[in-house]
Amino acid sequence: MIQPPTLGIIGCGRAGSALARLAVAADLNVVVSNSRDPGSLAALVAELGAHACAATSCQAARFGDMVALAVPLNAYDRLPAPELRGKTVVDLMNYYPERHGRIAELDSGEEATSSRLVQNHLVDSRVVRVFSDIDFRLLQPDPRRGPADRSTLPIAGDDAEAKAEVTRLLDLLGYHALDVGTFESSRALTVLAIATEQARAVTRVMAERLDVIAPGAPGYVNWPAASWSASTRICLAPQEQRIMALAAAGRSVTEMAREMYLSEKTVRNYLSRIYRKLGVRTRTEAVLRWLGRTDSPTAVAPARMCG
């Protein structure tokens, strides 16, 4: 029986994890890795299921039929070039000097684009830039596989065969591909990615000032999430809102009862009523809704290791 293709992913932060979910939803095998040991990816592997396993970066590069790079750009020179030799490499990375540190070749203009910098390090690989201009939160497995429903993602690179291979990958994942040209043409994608990041930061500040989320609350914030958080608050009575604010701050039932001059039984009754209103079953889920998030942590077993 023909086995499905395997996508190796080096770097499993938000973007890499989102891509892994897309790949598994498309029935691809994935080998996930990060800068730590494979055991640190136990939660992600448990979520992804039988199509996924954890490995080192070198193993992910070796086992993947195609390999995606989702590490901070300033780690590009630590990518395993020997294991990536001869492979098509998907570059998700962007240059954010204020976050990851400056890269002299890009600041001086010695290299025109970050993908060219990566290609020069991975001289025996074929690098294609894609996914770098889209908010990772939009990389959701979508059951709509019909051509008329698909979003289009731009791709850039110097190797036509590699771009054709990435186009086939995108088709499996449920996207159209738009070939925008060579690496030099990808500079527009970099500008778009930076603009998206700036808009994201401004949105969070605005959401905090409008009291849609608490300052310093965990997680990424965009307007759909902020709207969800606001609608959550509107459906709760003032006393229930105060209880949720304390719950989000990590207060126990005993601490909430003491602070609000209520009995613990009354606080528990309030929490039960809140759970029903929000359509959740646990305090954790209620807090995530309150903060405008929809993810829910689960207990996980040790990560499956790739052999």
Side-chain angles (χ1 to χ4, degrees):
M1 182 172 62
I2 298 176
Q3 295 295 321
T6 296
L7 179 66
I9 301 178
I10 299 178
C12 280
R14 294 173 175 179
S17 297
L19 179 58
R21 295 182 186 100
L22 272 181
V24 166
D27 294 324
L28 301 181
N29 292 321
V30 297
V31 181
V32 294
S33 66
N34 60 13
S35 59
R36 295 174 288 168
D37 65 277
S40 65
L41 295 169
L44 179 61
V45 170
E47 175 192 344
L48 294 174
H51 280 289
C53 65
T56 65
S57 296
C58 288
Q59 289 170 328
R62 190 180 310 124
F63 295 154
D65 297 307
M66 187 183 298
V67 181
L69 308 178
V71 299
L73 185 62
N74 64 351
Y76 82 93
D77 55 355
R78 297 194 293 276
L79 293 167
E83 286 79 7
L84 291 169
R85 182 177 293 115
K87 297 195 175 185
T88 294
V89 174
V90 178
D91 176 17
L92 285 74
M93 301 180 290
N94 285 309
Y95 182 37
Y96 296 125
E98 68 285 353
R99 183 187 303 173
H100 302 134
R102 295 202 165 273
I103 298 174
E105 294 91 335
L106 294 176
D107 288 345
S108 67
E110 180 182 340
E111 293 294 348
T113 67
S114 60
S115 291
R116 173 69 66 192
L117 187 71
V118 175
Q119 178 67 85
N120 288 344
H121 173 65
L122 303 177
V123 64
D124 295 318
S125 304
R126 303 178 302 174
V127 176
V128 177
R129 183 178 179 86
V130 67
F131 293 118
S132 58
D133 64 312
I134 186 172
D135 175 2
F136 75 93
R137 294 255 172 174
L138 300 179
L139 293 176
Q140 299 285 344
D142 190 342
R144 298 175 302 168
R145 299 292 180 185
D149 298 316
R150 295 184 169 193
S151 297
T152 298
L153 295 178
I155 65 174
D158 291 349
D159 190 293
E161 184 179 344
K163 287 193 286 187
E165 189 176 348
V166 170
T167 297
R168 290 191 291 272
L169 171 67
L170 291 180
D171 182 60
L172 288 174
L173 299 181
Y175 289 90
H176 288 309
L178 174 64
D179 187 347
V180 299
T182 64
F183 287 136
E184 279 60 41
S185 302
S186 73
R187 278 181 287 191
L189 305 185
T190 301
V191 172
L192 180 58
I194 293 173
T196 300
E197 183 70 13
Q198 291 172 341
R200 178 184 304 171
V202 170
T203 297
R204 178 167 190 110
V205 171
M206 292 176 67
E208 290 180 356
R209 289 180 178 176
L210 292 172
D211 195 32
V212 175
I213 64 164
Y220 169 89
V221 175
N222 56 18
W223 279 121
S227 299
W228 175 252
S229 178
S231 64
T232 296
R233 297 178 184 216
I234 289 171
C235 81
L236 300 180
Q239 191 81 320
E240 294 168 341
Q241 291 190 34
R242 188 177 178 197
I243 285 178
M244 282 308 306
L246 293 173
R251 301 288 201 281
S252 67
V253 169
T254 300
E255 290 170 330
M256 284 189 276
R258 186 182 307 120
E259 191 163 338
M260 298 182 68
Y261 300 100
L262 300 171
S263 69
E264 292 186 18
K265 180 179 179 180
T266 299
V267 171
R268 290 193 179 92
N269 287 339
Y270 269 119
L271 286 171
S272 296
R273 188 155 53 244
I274 290 168
Y275 298 166
R276 287 195 299 272
K277 285 185 176 182
L278 301 185
V280 301
R281 291 182 295 178
T282 68
R283 172 173 169 164
T284 299
E285 290 173 330
V287 169
L288 290 172
R289 292 285 179 90
W290 177 259
L291 296 175
R293 295 167 59 187
T294 57
D295 50 317
S296 180
T298 56
V300 297
R304 280 186 302 281
M305 305 300 176
C306 297

